[in-house]
Amino acid sequence: MSIPEIPAEHDHPDVLLPLLTASAGHLLRTVEVLTTEQIRAASLLPDWTRAHVLVHLARGADSRLRLLTTARGGTDLPQYPDEATRAGEIRQGVLRDTESIRVDLRTSLGELLSAIAEHPAEAWDVPVRWLGGGLRPVRGVLWSLLRELEVHHVDLATSYVPADWPAAFVTRELRNTVSGLKGDPAMPPVRISADEEASHRDAGGGPGPLVSGPAADILAWLTGRSQGTALTVDPPGALPRVPAWRQ
C-alpha cells in the first residue's frame, strides 16, 4: 500500500497544522526529560551539541514568525539578515542555562503555531524574503517547519528515530530529497526503490545501482541520518556516498 502523500499544492494549515502541532509536541516531550548533562552532550550533527540543535530550532521558529508577520502586511522582515547573523544567534544561544534553552524553544514554537493558526487565508501566497532563497510564498513556512522538527528531532540522538517519522512526511520529503539530488553534481548515479512504492526514482545522473528498503530508512540515509544498514544494494556492494545534507 502506498503511503499517503501531501502534495505541495496542499500546503495549508488545515492540512499541516495538526501534523505540526503533533510534531512539536513530540519534540518538546523529548526535551523536557533531558538532563543538563544530556542537553550539553553531542548531537548527530558534527560539532553541535543537543543545545545547538534546540537553539537552532527556536531561532528557526522565530525566523518563520518574521515571515508570517511580513506577509500579514507588517514591517518587511527577512527570514534572517544573513548567514552570519543566523550562526551568531546559535552560538550565543547555547551559552544560556539549559532551562532557559528549554523555555525558549517552547515559547518560540508556541508563538509560531499560534501565528500559523491565525494567519489570514488570503495571505498564504504573499512572497517573503527567505534566507538564501529569494522571494517565495510564505506558505513555505508550513512544510519547512515540519521538516525542521522531524529531522532535527532525530538529530537529538534520543529514542526518536527515522522509523518514527510520520508516513506522509516521509513520502513527500523523500520525493523532494531525490529531486534535489538529481541536480547535485556530488550525487553519484543511483536508483531508489522504497518498499512502499511501486516504482523506483532516479537520483544523480545516468544509470546506477538500485538501493531498496523502507522509505524512512532511505530518507534517513539520503539525509545523513543513517548509515543505511537496513538497505540493500543491487548489484551487491557498498552504498554510494551521498552529499552532506544542509543544516
Side-chain angles (χ1 to χ4, degrees), residues 90-122:
I90 295 171
R91 285 195 303 271
Q92 290 299 312
V94 299
L95 300 177
R96 296 169 302 167
D97 64 88
T98 54
E99 185 56 27
S100 294
I101 291 174
R102 261 195 284 260
V103 171
D104 180 28
L105 178 63
R106 189 186 314 124
T107 301
S108 293
L109 287 177
E111 290 177 349
L112 178 56
L113 291 174
S114 294
I116 289 171
E118 298 166 1
H119 196 72
E122 66 276 10

Side-chain angles (χ1 to χ4, degrees), residues 176-190 202-206 222 241-246:
N176 292 348
T177 300
V178 171
S179 177
L181 289 171
K182 283 183 179 180
D184 190 333
M187 180 65 191
V190 63
D202 294 323
L222 289 175
R241 182 183 294 273
V242 299
W245 195 77
R246 68 217 177 283

Side-chain angles (χ1 to χ4, degrees), residues 209 231-240:
L231 306 178
T232 60
V233 185
D234 186 24
L239 284 167

Side-chain angles (χ1 to χ4, degrees), residues 168-194:
F169 166 75
V170 171
T171 299
R172 177 166 155 193
E173 193 58 26
L174 179 58
R175 182 193 67 193
N176 292 348
T177 300
V178 171
S179 177
L181 289 171
K182 283 183 179 180
D184 190 333
M187 180 65 191
V190 63
R191 293 174 296 149
I192 303 296
S193 178

